Amino acid sequence: TGPNVSKPFIHGLGYNRVLTLYDGVRQEGQQWGDEHGIEVDENAVDRIEIVKGPASLIYGSDALAGVVNMLPAQPVPDGSIIGHVETNYQTNNGLIATHVALAGNKNGFNWGGVLSHKQATNYENRYDGRVYGTAFNETDLSAHVGLNKKWGYSDLNFSVFNDLQEIPDGSRDSITRKFTKQITEADSFRPIVSNAELNSYKIAVLHQHVQHYRLYSSNDFILGEGKLGVILGYQQSIRREFSHPENPDIPGLYLDLKTFTYDIKYSIPLPDNWEATAGINGMYQHNTNKGTEFIIPDYSQFEIGPFILVTKTIGKFDFSAGARYDTRIFRNDAMYTRPNPVTGFDMQVNPPDTAITDHPFYSFRHTFSGISASFGATYNITKGLIVKANIARGFRAPNIAEISANGVHPGTLIYQIGNTAFKPEFSLQEDVGISYLSDHISGNLD
């Protein structure tokens, strides 16, 4: 949807209807926004798993259309140290990208890291030439240490995502059709963008600065015949959109989102070809505004969802069923603003400040809850030929923008208005498919 911004879509649905994970940890970074991409270094991703259809049963809210799980590389073989350097250049936007990766493993103790950088000027198309406002500059770092033993494994992971990207608005001169730029707050006159600016790697005054920090621990413990999985994570998303051309150091939109996630599940085989998995996962989240423009309020929410899954094999049939109950406790704060006496821009204040001029957000409290469930069966005609059918009910609670938004999004110039009367979304999806897999041929029809 913009320079260096990508969003996954499954069955025509995206945003908060597709849940994006990184190594099993849900990705949280104001993903409701049209110009808010996924804050993950592409070079840190080894492979991607996609689950189509309602996956709310295992992951919770937002997985109505499916799940995209981006997975880092597995530990390298024991007794080895492996590294590589990769660089590339792209002619269209002059992109220069380099990343360095190094990983090692000795007696089950493994470690690794990836350092990446890429920068690009404005891209070209056949109608406009270079399109102003599409340059970007991104630097990322990720590292991990882990221990693999007979009792299971335990990993500690850390990553930093730092992205500067311009905001294209498409404004053009009425006579020459060349791109123009905003240079004053009043925006009464826009000069034409020079060729030097169109070809420059320097980030323009109007741009986004997106920073995302992630720290998480992924663990798998073998307990008797069962297995206990525990994933605990913390992430902070700092999103600044600089929209004041005469005050380039003052961000308009400034959102600071902190998220704690937890995921605990236990799997165990049972007699008569039964297998069961029970667990609980969710998150606590808090968002703070620090800018001069306010599209969403300060808010916090807590989510919890216990679930159970069971599978059973009877001859050539494999059956699976499960259920989950989600609860989201949501609270946003009231907000009062008045002009800053130094800059003239709006700032937050608290009653009983007598200079209050606006009350964009009112206090709101609500609890959203819902049941999701799934039942499916697979018939193994032969070793490689199977027929499957599944019916599932998905759940999604409204996001902050849908409930409480009240303002102009600087990145899209759209005024967004929330609705506190919104209720949770539910989906019902039926799937039937046949698939074939052999050493040389594979195919499926769904």
Side-chain angles (χ1 to χ4, degrees):
T1 61
N4 206 30
V5 176
S6 299
K7 286 182 175 290
F9 276 73
I10 298 176
H11 292 159
L13 298 175
Y15 296 80
N16 285 84
R17 293 180 179 90
V18 171
L19 180 60
T20 303
L21 309 175
Y22 180 79
D23 200 16
V25 179
R26 63 183 295 147
Q27 182 76 16
E28 289 293 324
Q30 313 285 7
Q31 60 267 26
W32 50 266
D34 196 44
E35 293 293 332
H36 302 174
I38 299 173
E39 304 90 350
V40 172
D41 175 15
E42 62 195 75
N43 300 301
V45 178
D46 180 67
R47 65 194 190 282
I48 297 176
E49 293 179 351
I50 298 175
V51 180
K52 297 182 180 180
S56 306
L57 196 60
I58 299 176
Y59 301 104
S61 180
D62 299 351
L64 281 187
V67 173
V68 175
N69 190 9
M70 297 172 286
L71 298 167
Q74 294 289 324
V76 299
D78 195 9
S80 64
I81 296 178
I82 299 175
H84 69 265
V85 178
E86 180 179 303
T87 184
N88 75 79
Y89 174 78
Q90 297 179 13
T91 59
N92 182 283
N93 59 356
L95 181 137
I96 304 169
T98 302
H99 82 269
V100 180
L102 189 66
N105 191 344
K106 185 174 183 179
N107 298 326
F109 175 76
N110 59 83
W111 54 270
V114 179
L115 177 63
S116 304
H117 177 75
K118 61 180 179 179
Q119 62 185 50
T121 183
N122 299 288
Y123 69 72
E124 293 183 90
N125 67 41
R126 70 192 324 187
Y127 305 103
D128 303 298
R130 294 212 179 275
V131 178
Y132 183 65
T134 59
F136 59 86
N137 189 316
E138 179 186 322
T139 304
D140 308 313
L141 171 67
S142 60
H144 82 274
V145 293
L147 193 62
N148 283 31
K149 294 294 183 179
K150 291 182 179 180
W151 48 261
Y153 70 82
S154 181
D155 290 324
L156 183 64
N157 301 264
F158 173 74
S159 67
V160 177
F161 176 93
N162 187 70
D163 180 35
L164 297 165
Q165 60 186 53
E166 296 179 347
I167 303 174
D169 65 8
S171 65
R172 293 170 172 82
D173 179 67
S174 59
I175 299 174
T176 64
R177 304 305 299 161
K178 292 184 178 181
F179 286 100
T180 61
K181 62 178 181 178
Q182 182 182 357
I183 59 172
T184 65
E185 200 70 33
D187 201 16
S188 56
F189 167 73
R190 290 196 173 204
I192 293 175
V193 179
S194 67
N195 288 332
E197 291 174 292
L198 289 172
N199 289 277
S200 174
Y201 285 89
K202 183 181 179 181
I203 301 298
V205 171
L206 304 186
H207 67 276
Q208 294 190 68
H209 188 186
V210 182
Q211 296 166 295
H212 191 277
Y213 303 90
R214 181 190 294 106
L215 176 67
Y216 69 96
S217 175
S218 181
N219 309 273
D220 216 11
F221 306 109
I222 298 173
L223 302 177
E225 301 207 357
K227 187 168 63 173
L228 176 67
V230 179
I231 303 176
L232 302 174
Y234 168 78
Q235 54 191 300
Q236 182 180 15
S237 173
I238 302 173
R239 180 175 300 275
R240 284 170 286 181
E241 298 187 4
F242 293 88
S243 54
H244 301 305
E246 295 178 273
N247 295 271
D249 297 326
I250 299 178
L253 191 70
Y254 189 161
L255 303 175
D256 187 351
L257 178 67
K258 298 180 176 70
T259 305
F260 298 87
T261 57
Y262 61 95
D263 187 346
I264 304 170
K265 56 180 176 285
Y266 181 68
S267 302
I268 187 170
L270 300 172
D272 298 326
N273 292 323
W274 284 90
E275 186 171 328
T277 299
I280 189 169
N281 53 30
M283 66 177 176
Y284 172 76
Q285 191 171 76
H286 182 73
N287 179 79
T288 306
N289 281 273
K290 299 179 180 179
T292 65
E293 300 170 358
F294 311 103
I295 183 173
I296 60 173
D298 296 350
Y299 75 91
S300 62
Q301 62 182 26
F302 174 74
E303 294 186 13
I304 186 169
F307 64 90
I308 186 169
L309 293 168
V310 294
T311 63
K312 180 174 175 60
T313 299
I314 304 176
K316 291 188 174 183
F317 281 97
D318 297 318
F319 296 96
S320 66
R324 176 189 181 95
Y325 185 76
D326 275 290
T327 302
R328 172 180 287 183
I329 302 171
F330 177 86
R331 174 179 64 86
N332 75 247
D333 300 330
M335 181 184 290
Y336 304 87
T337 65
R338 67 174 174 85
N340 185 305
V342 177
T343 65
F345 300 127
D346 285 343
M347 67 177 189
Q348 290 193 61
V349 293
N350 296 314
D353 192 314
T354 58
I356 291 174
T357 58
D358 197 11
H359 187 186
F361 301 107
Y362 291 82
S363 176
F364 178 69
R365 309 284 188 274
H366 199 76
T367 298
F368 302 97
S369 59
I371 296 174
S372 50
S374 176
F375 176 77
T378 299
Y379 180 66
N380 302 278
I381 300 174
T382 65
K383 184 179 180 180
L385 181 63
I386 65 171
V387 177
K388 59 184 179 179
N390 188 79
I391 183 169
R393 184 184 199 243
F395 164 83
R396 183 180 80 89
N399 64 49
I400 176 63
E402 293 167 329
I403 300 172
S404 303
N406 183 24
V408 176
H409 190 298
T412 60
L413 303 181
I414 295 174
Y415 199 106
Q416 298 187 347
I417 301 175
N419 185 345
T420 55
F422 276 161
K423 298 178 180 180
E425 258 183 0
F426 293 95
S427 69
L428 184 66
Q429 181 167 322
E430 304 88 10
D431 295 281
V432 177
I434 183 171
S435 62
Y436 177 75
L437 176 64
S438 70
D439 292 338
H440 304 290
I441 299 174
S442 65
N444 64 77
L445 180 64
D446 294 303

